[in-house]
mmCIF file of all heavy atoms in Angstrom:
data_model
loop_
_atom_site.group_PDB
_atom_site.id
_atom_site.type_symbol
_atom_site.label_atom_id
_atom_site.label_comp_id
_atom_site.label_asym_id
_atom_site.label_seq_id
_atom_site.Cartn_x
_atom_site.Cartn_y
_atom_site.Cartn_z
ATOM 1 N N GLU A 126 17.982 37.328 -0.485
ATOM 2 C CA GLU A 126 17.034 37.259 -1.594
ATOM 3 C C GLU A 126 15.664 36.734 -1.191
ATOM 4 O O GLU A 126 14.667 37.029 -1.854
ATOM 5 C CB GLU A 126 17.602 36.368 -2.711
ATOM 6 C CG GLU A 126 18.789 36.984 -3.433
ATOM 7 C CD GLU A 126 19.375 36.040 -4.459
ATOM 8 O OE1 GLU A 126 19.076 34.819 -4.390
ATOM 9 O OE2 GLU A 126 20.129 36.501 -5.321
ATOM 10 N N PHE A 127 15.580 35.971 -0.122
ATOM 11 C CA PHE A 127 14.302 35.379 0.283
ATOM 12 C C PHE A 127 13.291 36.476 0.622
ATOM 13 O O PHE A 127 13.616 37.434 1.327
ATOM 14 C CB PHE A 127 14.503 34.470 1.499
ATOM 15 C CG PHE A 127 13.249 33.746 1.929
ATOM 16 C CD1 PHE A 127 12.867 32.572 1.302
ATOM 17 C CD2 PHE A 127 12.471 34.229 2.973
ATOM 18 C CE1 PHE A 127 11.729 31.895 1.705
ATOM 19 C CE2 PHE A 127 11.335 33.565 3.375
ATOM 20 C CZ PHE A 127 10.954 32.394 2.743
ATOM 21 N N ARG A 128 12.056 36.346 0.132
ATOM 22 C CA ARG A 128 11.025 37.359 0.344
ATOM 23 C C ARG A 128 10.117 36.943 1.504
ATOM 24 O O ARG A 128 9.230 36.094 1.348
ATOM 25 C CB ARG A 128 10.205 37.568 -0.929
ATOM 26 C CG ARG A 128 11.026 38.125 -2.078
ATOM 27 C CD ARG A 128 10.195 38.372 -3.303
ATOM 28 N NE ARG A 128 9.218 39.437 -3.098
ATOM 29 C CZ ARG A 128 8.361 39.839 -4.033
ATOM 30 N NH1 ARG A 128 8.337 39.251 -5.222
ATOM 31 N NH2 ARG A 128 7.504 40.806 -3.778
ATOM 32 N N PHE A 129 10.350 37.519 2.660
ATOM 33 C CA PHE A 129 9.499 37.254 3.820
ATOM 34 C C PHE A 129 8.136 37.916 3.599
ATOM 35 O O PHE A 129 8.053 39.056 3.126
ATOM 36 C CB PHE A 129 10.127 37.832 5.089
ATOM 37 C CG PHE A 129 11.285 37.040 5.610
ATOM 38 C CD1 PHE A 129 12.549 37.166 5.056
ATOM 39 C CD2 PHE A 129 11.120 36.158 6.672
ATOM 40 C CE1 PHE A 129 13.629 36.441 5.538
ATOM 41 C CE2 PHE A 129 12.183 35.430 7.170
ATOM 42 C CZ PHE A 129 13.446 35.571 6.600
ATOM 43 N N HIS A 130 7.085 37.211 3.968
ATOM 44 C CA HIS A 130 5.742 37.772 3.808
ATOM 45 C C HIS A 130 4.754 36.991 4.655
ATOM 46 O O HIS A 130 5.024 35.868 5.080
ATOM 47 C CB HIS A 130 5.310 37.725 2.344
ATOM 48 C CG HIS A 130 5.200 36.334 1.786
ATOM 49 N ND1 HIS A 130 6.301 35.599 1.387
ATOM 50 C CD2 HIS A 130 4.121 35.532 1.587
ATOM 51 C CE1 HIS A 130 5.912 34.422 0.952
ATOM 52 N NE2 HIS A 130 4.591 34.338 1.077
ATOM 53 N N ALA A 131 3.611 37.618 4.916
ATOM 54 C CA ALA A 131 2.501 36.963 5.611
ATOM 55 C C ALA A 131 1.327 36.924 4.643
ATOM 56 O O ALA A 131 0.743 37.966 4.310
ATOM 57 C CB ALA A 131 2.125 37.724 6.880
ATOM 58 N N THR A 132 0.991 35.748 4.158
ATOM 59 C CA THR A 132 -0.049 35.602 3.138
ATOM 60 C C THR A 132 -1.423 35.950 3.698
ATOM 61 O O THR A 132 -1.794 35.525 4.792
ATOM 62 C CB THR A 132 -0.062 34.162 2.597
ATOM 63 O OG1 THR A 132 1.214 33.861 2.040
ATOM 64 C CG2 THR A 132 -1.132 33.982 1.536
ATOM 65 N N LEU A 133 -2.174 36.726 2.915
ATOM 66 C CA LEU A 133 -3.565 37.054 3.253
ATOM 67 C C LEU A 133 -4.534 36.171 2.475
ATOM 68 O O LEU A 133 -5.503 35.653 3.028
ATOM 69 C CB LEU A 133 -3.859 38.523 2.930
ATOM 70 C CG LEU A 133 -3.224 39.573 3.832
ATOM 71 C CD1 LEU A 133 -3.417 40.958 3.231
ATOM 72 C CD2 LEU A 133 -3.823 39.519 5.229
ATOM 73 N N ALA A 134 -4.305 36.032 1.181
ATOM 74 C CA ALA A 134 -5.189 35.239 0.325
ATOM 75 C C ALA A 134 -4.369 34.628 -0.801
ATOM 76 O O ALA A 134 -3.365 35.191 -1.234
ATOM 77 C CB ALA A 134 -6.305 36.108 -0.249
ATOM 78 N N MET A 135 -4.813 33.457 -1.288
ATOM 79 C CA MET A 135 -4.066 32.763 -2.325
ATOM 80 C C MET A 135 -5.025 32.018 -3.251
ATOM 81 O O MET A 135 -6.226 31.916 -2.972
ATOM 82 C CB MET A 135 -3.063 31.792 -1.692
ATOM 83 C CG MET A 135 -3.691 30.739 -0.810
ATOM 84 S SD MET A 135 -2.488 29.824 0.185
ATOM 85 C CE MET A 135 -1.451 29.113 -1.066
ATOM 86 N N LYS A 136 -4.488 31.521 -4.368
ATOM 87 C CA LYS A 136 -5.263 30.763 -5.353
ATOM 88 C C LYS A 136 -6.466 31.560 -5.853
ATOM 89 O O LYS A 136 -7.557 31.020 -6.049
ATOM 90 C CB LYS A 136 -5.714 29.424 -4.764
ATOM 91 C CG LYS A 136 -4.570 28.516 -4.341
ATOM 92 C CD LYS A 136 -5.054 27.213 -3.756
ATOM 93 C CE LYS A 136 -3.892 26.319 -3.339
ATOM 94 N NZ LYS A 136 -4.350 25.055 -2.696
ATOM 95 N N LEU A 137 -6.270 32.867 -6.033
ATOM 96 C CA LEU A 137 -7.347 33.743 -6.494
ATOM 97 C C LEU A 137 -7.518 33.628 -8.003
ATOM 98 O O LEU A 137 -6.549 33.385 -8.731
ATOM 99 C CB LEU A 137 -7.030 35.194 -6.132
ATOM 100 C CG LEU A 137 -6.853 35.499 -4.636
ATOM 101 C CD1 LEU A 137 -6.250 36.884 -4.455
ATOM 102 C CD2 LEU A 137 -8.179 35.403 -3.901
ATOM 103 N N ASP A 138 -8.752 33.835 -8.474
ATOM 104 C CA ASP A 138 -8.922 33.956 -9.920
ATOM 105 C C ASP A 138 -8.379 35.320 -10.348
ATOM 106 O O ASP A 138 -8.205 36.229 -9.530
ATOM 107 C CB ASP A 138 -10.397 33.789 -10.319
ATOM 108 C CG ASP A 138 -11.289 34.876 -9.726
ATOM 109 O OD1 ASP A 138 -11.255 36.016 -10.240
ATOM 110 O OD2 ASP A 138 -12.006 34.586 -8.752
ATOM 111 N N TRP A 139 -8.098 35.449 -11.634
ATOM 112 C CA TRP A 139 -7.392 36.631 -12.117
ATOM 113 C C TRP A 139 -8.171 37.923 -11.852
ATOM 114 O O TRP A 139 -7.599 38.935 -11.444
ATOM 115 C CB TRP A 139 -7.085 36.504 -13.603
ATOM 116 C CG TRP A 139 -6.273 37.646 -14.136
ATOM 117 C CD1 TRP A 139 -6.674 38.631 -14.976
ATOM 118 C CD2 TRP A 139 -4.910 37.947 -13.815
ATOM 119 N NE1 TRP A 139 -5.657 39.519 -15.211
ATOM 120 C CE2 TRP A 139 -4.554 39.125 -14.515
ATOM 121 C CE3 TRP A 139 -3.944 37.336 -13.014
ATOM 122 C CZ2 TRP A 139 -3.282 39.690 -14.431
ATOM 123 C CZ3 TRP A 139 -2.686 37.912 -12.932
ATOM 124 C CH2 TRP A 139 -2.367 39.065 -13.631
ATOM 125 N N LEU A 140 -9.483 37.917 -12.065
ATOM 126 C CA LEU A 140 -10.285 39.131 -11.886
ATOM 127 C C LEU A 140 -10.297 39.564 -10.426
ATOM 128 O O LEU A 140 -10.108 40.749 -10.123
ATOM 129 C CB LEU A 140 -11.721 38.904 -12.378
ATOM 130 C CG LEU A 140 -12.678 40.091 -12.212
ATOM 131 C CD1 LEU A 140 -12.154 41.313 -12.959
ATOM 132 C CD2 LEU A 140 -14.080 39.724 -12.698
ATOM 133 N N THR A 141 -10.493 38.623 -9.510
ATOM 134 C CA THR A 141 -10.495 38.957 -8.086
ATOM 135 C C THR A 141 -9.129 39.480 -7.658
ATOM 136 O O THR A 141 -9.029 40.430 -6.883
ATOM 137 C CB THR A 141 -10.870 37.722 -7.247
ATOM 138 O OG1 THR A 141 -12.160 37.243 -7.657
ATOM 139 C CG2 THR A 141 -10.914 38.064 -5.763
ATOM 140 N N PHE A 142 -8.081 38.861 -8.162
ATOM 141 C CA PHE A 142 -6.724 39.308 -7.850
ATOM 142 C C PHE A 142 -6.526 40.761 -8.273
ATOM 143 O O PHE A 142 -5.997 41.580 -7.518
ATOM 144 C CB PHE A 142 -5.719 38.399 -8.557
ATOM 145 C CG PHE A 142 -4.271 38.777 -8.337
ATOM 146 C CD1 PHE A 142 -3.679 38.605 -7.093
ATOM 147 C CD2 PHE A 142 -3.505 39.298 -9.379
ATOM 148 C CE1 PHE A 142 -2.339 38.949 -6.885
ATOM 149 C CE2 PHE A 142 -2.178 39.640 -9.182
ATOM 150 C CZ PHE A 142 -1.595 39.468 -7.935
ATOM 151 N N ARG A 143 -6.975 41.116 -9.474
ATOM 152 C CA ARG A 143 -6.844 42.484 -9.963
ATOM 153 C C ARG A 143 -7.678 43.460 -9.134
ATOM 154 O O ARG A 143 -7.241 44.578 -8.840
ATOM 155 C CB ARG A 143 -7.272 42.560 -11.436
ATOM 156 C CG ARG A 143 -6.419 41.762 -12.380
ATOM 157 C CD ARG A 143 -5.033 42.329 -12.525
ATOM 158 N NE ARG A 143 -5.035 43.678 -13.102
ATOM 159 C CZ ARG A 143 -3.969 44.412 -13.293
ATOM 160 N NH1 ARG A 143 -2.779 43.948 -12.918
ATOM 161 N NH2 ARG A 143 -4.040 45.609 -13.829
ATOM 162 N N ARG A 144 -8.873 43.049 -8.765
ATOM 163 C CA ARG A 144 -9.740 43.911 -7.962
ATOM 164 C C ARG A 144 -9.128 44.177 -6.592
ATOM 165 O O ARG A 144 -9.194 45.302 -6.077
ATOM 166 C CB ARG A 144 -11.129 43.272 -7.795
ATOM 167 C CG ARG A 144 -11.970 43.256 -9.063
ATOM 168 C CD ARG A 144 -13.246 42.502 -8.835
ATOM 169 N NE ARG A 144 -14.069 43.164 -7.812
ATOM 170 C CZ ARG A 144 -14.947 42.524 -7.050
ATOM 171 N NH1 ARG A 144 -15.101 41.205 -7.143
ATOM 172 N NH2 ARG A 144 -15.662 43.194 -6.166
ATOM 173 N N ILE A 145 -8.518 43.157 -5.969
ATOM 174 C CA ILE A 145 -7.896 43.330 -4.658
ATOM 175 C C ILE A 145 -6.673 44.243 -4.768
ATOM 176 O O ILE A 145 -6.447 45.098 -3.901
ATOM 177 C CB ILE A 145 -7.527 41.963 -4.050
ATOM 178 C CG1 ILE A 145 -8.804 41.200 -3.675
ATOM 179 C CG2 ILE A 145 -6.650 42.137 -2.813
ATOM 180 C CD1 ILE A 145 -8.559 39.807 -3.156
ATOM 181 N N LYS A 146 -5.893 44.098 -5.815
ATOM 182 C CA LYS A 146 -4.748 44.989 -6.014
ATOM 183 C C LYS A 146 -5.213 46.446 -6.091
ATOM 184 O O LYS A 146 -4.593 47.341 -5.513
ATOM 185 C CB LYS A 146 -4.002 44.625 -7.308
ATOM 186 C CG LYS A 146 -3.115 43.400 -7.192
ATOM 187 C CD LYS A 146 -2.252 43.215 -8.428
ATOM 188 C CE LYS A 146 -1.147 44.254 -8.509
ATOM 189 N NZ LYS A 146 -0.208 43.989 -9.633
ATOM 190 N N TRP A 147 -6.309 46.686 -6.807
ATOM 191 C CA TRP A 147 -6.854 48.045 -6.923
ATOM 192 C C TRP A 147 -7.346 48.536 -5.563
ATOM 193 O O TRP A 147 -7.115 49.682 -5.175
ATOM 194 C CB TRP A 147 -7.975 48.055 -7.941
ATOM 195 C CG TRP A 147 -8.544 49.421 -8.187
ATOM 196 C CD1 TRP A 147 -9.662 49.968 -7.624
ATOM 197 C CD2 TRP A 147 -8.018 50.427 -9.065
ATOM 198 N NE1 TRP A 147 -9.873 51.244 -8.090
ATOM 199 C CE2 TRP A 147 -8.880 51.556 -8.974
ATOM 200 C CE3 TRP A 147 -6.909 50.487 -9.918
ATOM 201 C CZ2 TRP A 147 -8.651 52.717 -9.698
ATOM 202 C CZ3 TRP A 147 -6.693 51.640 -10.637
ATOM 203 C CH2 TRP A 147 -7.554 52.744 -10.523
ATOM 204 N N TYR A 148 -8.005 47.660 -4.800
ATOM 205 C CA TYR A 148 -8.550 47.988 -3.484
ATOM 206 C C TYR A 148 -7.440 48.442 -2.535
ATOM 207 O O TYR A 148 -7.618 49.395 -1.762
ATOM 208 C CB TYR A 148 -9.267 46.754 -2.927
ATOM 209 C CG TYR A 148 -9.714 46.854 -1.490
ATOM 210 C CD1 TYR A 148 -10.812 47.625 -1.121
ATOM 211 C CD2 TYR A 148 -9.046 46.133 -0.493
ATOM 212 C CE1 TYR A 148 -11.235 47.698 0.198
ATOM 213 C CE2 TYR A 148 -9.458 46.204 0.827
ATOM 214 C CZ TYR A 148 -10.549 46.983 1.162
ATOM 215 O OH TYR A 148 -10.956 47.047 2.482
ATOM 216 N N PHE A 149 -6.277 47.807 -2.612
ATOM 217 C CA PHE A 149 -5.192 48.118 -1.686
ATOM 218 C C PHE A 149 -4.480 49.432 -1.996
ATOM 219 O O PHE A 149 -3.662 49.886 -1.204
ATOM 220 C CB PHE A 149 -4.166 46.978 -1.657
ATOM 221 C CG PHE A 149 -4.505 45.893 -0.678
ATOM 222 C CD1 PHE A 149 -4.726 44.593 -1.101
ATOM 223 C CD2 PHE A 149 -4.606 46.177 0.676
ATOM 224 C CE1 PHE A 149 -5.038 43.601 -0.195
ATOM 225 C CE2 PHE A 149 -4.920 45.191 1.588
ATOM 226 C CZ PHE A 149 -5.140 43.897 1.148
ATOM 227 N N ARG A 150 -4.809 50.053 -3.121
ATOM 228 C CA ARG A 150 -4.199 51.343 -3.437
ATOM 229 C C ARG A 150 -4.541 52.398 -2.380
ATOM 230 O O ARG A 150 -3.767 53.331 -2.153
ATOM 231 C CB ARG A 150 -4.659 51.841 -4.812
ATOM 232 C CG ARG A 150 -4.143 51.012 -5.957
ATOM 233 C CD ARG A 150 -4.732 51.452 -7.282
ATOM 234 N NE ARG A 150 -4.231 52.760 -7.675
ATOM 235 C CZ ARG A 150 -5.005 53.792 -7.979
ATOM 236 N NH1 ARG A 150 -6.321 53.687 -7.907
ATOM 237 N NH2 ARG A 150 -4.472 54.948 -8.347
ATOM 238 N N ASN A 151 -5.684 52.258 -1.729
ATOM 239 C CA ASN A 151 -6.144 53.255 -0.756
ATOM 240 C C ASN A 151 -6.141 52.741 0.681
ATOM 241 O O ASN A 151 -6.735 53.359 1.562
ATOM 242 C CB ASN A 151 -7.558 53.723 -1.121
ATOM 243 C CG ASN A 151 -7.612 54.374 -2.491
ATOM 244 O OD1 ASN A 151 -6.752 55.185 -2.815
ATOM 245 N ND2 ASN A 151 -8.604 54.010 -3.292
ATOM 246 N N GLN A 152 -5.491 51.606 0.930
ATOM 247 C CA GLN A 152 -5.464 51.042 2.270
ATOM 248 C C GLN A 152 -4.207 51.482 3.020
ATOM 249 O O GLN A 152 -3.110 51.506 2.459
ATOM 250 C CB GLN A 152 -5.513 49.512 2.207
ATOM 251 C CG GLN A 152 -6.833 48.957 1.754
ATOM 252 C CD GLN A 152 -7.955 49.285 2.725
ATOM 253 O OE1 GLN A 152 -7.867 49.005 3.918
ATOM 254 N NE2 GLN A 152 -9.016 49.890 2.210
ATOM 255 N N GLU A 153 -4.385 51.832 4.290
ATOM 256 C CA GLU A 153 -3.238 52.160 5.128
ATOM 257 C C GLU A 153 -2.418 50.891 5.394
ATOM 258 O O GLU A 153 -2.986 49.820 5.612
ATOM 259 C CB GLU A 153 -3.698 52.744 6.467
ATOM 260 C CG GLU A 153 -4.323 54.125 6.353
ATOM 261 C CD GLU A 153 -3.301 55.175 5.956
ATOM 262 O OE1 GLU A 153 -2.129 55.061 6.398
ATOM 263 O OE2 GLU A 153 -3.659 56.081 5.191
ATOM 264 N N PRO A 154 -1.090 50.995 5.378
ATOM 265 C CA PRO A 154 -0.274 49.805 5.639
ATOM 266 C C PRO A 154 -0.381 49.355 7.090
ATOM 267 O O PRO A 154 -0.733 50.136 7.975
ATOM 268 C CB PRO A 154 1.150 50.278 5.316
ATOM 269 C CG PRO A 154 1.110 51.756 5.518
ATOM 270 C CD PRO A 154 -0.269 52.183 5.099
ATOM 271 N N VAL A 155 -0.102 48.088 7.315
ATOM 272 C CA VAL A 155 0.022 47.566 8.674
ATOM 273 C C VAL A 155 1.432 47.904 9.135
ATOM 274 O O VAL A 155 2.410 47.442 8.556
ATOM 275 C CB VAL A 155 -0.193 46.044 8.710
ATOM 276 C CG1 VAL A 155 0.005 45.514 10.125
ATOM 277 C CG2 VAL A 155 -1.568 45.682 8.186
ATOM 278 N N THR A 156 1.556 48.746 10.131
ATOM 279 C CA THR A 156 2.900 49.142 10.589
ATOM 280 C C THR A 156 3.089 48.696 12.032
ATOM 281 O O THR A 156 2.345 49.092 12.926
ATOM 282 C CB THR A 156 3.089 50.665 10.488
ATOM 283 O OG1 THR A 156 2.039 51.328 11.198
ATOM 284 C CG2 THR A 156 3.076 51.099 9.033
ATOM 285 N N TYR A 157 4.096 47.877 12.238
ATOM 286 C CA TYR A 157 4.300 47.324 13.570
ATOM 287 C C TYR A 157 5.676 46.689 13.643
ATOM 288 O O TYR A 157 6.126 46.082 12.675
ATOM 289 C CB TYR A 157 3.233 46.263 13.847
ATOM 290 C CG TYR A 157 3.038 45.951 15.313
ATOM 291 C CD1 TYR A 157 2.228 46.747 16.116
ATOM 292 C CD2 TYR A 157 3.667 44.861 15.892
ATOM 293 C CE1 TYR A 157 2.044 46.456 17.461
ATOM 294 C CE2 TYR A 157 3.485 44.574 17.234
ATOM 295 C CZ TYR A 157 2.677 45.373 18.006
ATOM 296 O OH TYR A 157 2.499 45.085 19.329
ATOM 297 N N ARG A 158 6.349 46.841 14.780
ATOM 298 C CA ARG A 158 7.598 46.102 14.999
ATOM 299 C C ARG A 158 7.309 45.030 16.026
ATOM 300 O O ARG A 158 6.831 45.306 17.115
ATOM 301 C CB ARG A 158 8.716 47.026 15.485
ATOM 302 C CG ARG A 158 10.037 46.267 15.621
ATOM 303 C CD ARG A 158 11.230 47.208 15.609
ATOM 304 N NE ARG A 158 12.490 46.482 15.658
ATOM 305 C CZ ARG A 158 13.069 45.896 14.627
ATOM 306 N NH1 ARG A 158 12.475 45.918 13.461
ATOM 307 N NH2 ARG A 158 14.214 45.271 14.757
ATOM 308 N N HIS A 159 7.632 43.820 15.654
ATOM 309 C CA HIS A 159 7.187 42.685 16.446
ATOM 310 C C HIS A 159 8.341 41.714 16.659
ATOM 311 O O HIS A 159 9.239 41.630 15.838
ATOM 312 C CB HIS A 159 6.057 41.975 15.691
ATOM 313 C CG HIS A 159 5.362 40.942 16.501
ATOM 314 N ND1 HIS A 159 4.515 41.269 17.540
ATOM 315 C CD2 HIS A 159 5.382 39.597 16.431
ATOM 316 C CE1 HIS A 159 4.031 40.139 18.056
ATOM 317 N NE2 HIS A 159 4.546 39.126 17.410
ATOM 318 N N HIS A 160 8.302 41.002 17.757
ATOM 319 C CA HIS A 160 9.333 40.023 18.065
ATOM 320 C C HIS A 160 8.729 38.619 17.977
ATOM 321 O O HIS A 160 7.801 38.317 18.717
ATOM 322 C CB HIS A 160 9.855 40.203 19.494
ATOM 323 C CG HIS A 160 10.419 41.561 19.765
ATOM 324 N ND1 HIS A 160 11.697 41.739 20.225
ATOM 325 C CD2 HIS A 160 9.908 42.793 19.636
ATOM 326 C CE1 HIS A 160 11.934 43.027 20.377
ATOM 327 N NE2 HIS A 160 10.857 43.688 20.025
ATOM 328 N N PRO A 161 9.240 37.760 17.103
ATOM 329 C CA PRO A 161 8.766 36.375 17.129
ATOM 330 C C PRO A 161 9.062 35.736 18.487
ATOM 331 O O PRO A 161 10.166 35.881 19.007
ATOM 332 C CB PRO A 161 9.578 35.698 16.028
ATOM 333 C CG PRO A 161 10.060 36.807 15.171
ATOM 334 C CD PRO A 161 10.244 37.985 16.073
#
Side-chain angles (χ1 to χ4, degrees):
E126 290 176 343
F127 184 83
R128 296 182 66 180
F129 285 80
H130 63 281
T132 301
L133 288 170
M135 59 192 301
K136 299 180 180 177
L137 300 168
D138 63 76
W139 184 250
L140 178 59
T141 302
F142 179 70
R143 296 291 297 178
R144 289 175 63 207
I145 291 176
K146 283 189 72 174
W147 183 263
Y148 171 74
F149 273 119
R150 292 174 69 234
N151 299 315
Q152 290 296 306
E153 291 292 325
V155 177
T156 55
Y157 200 83
R158 184 160 183 80
H159 190 72
H160 302 236

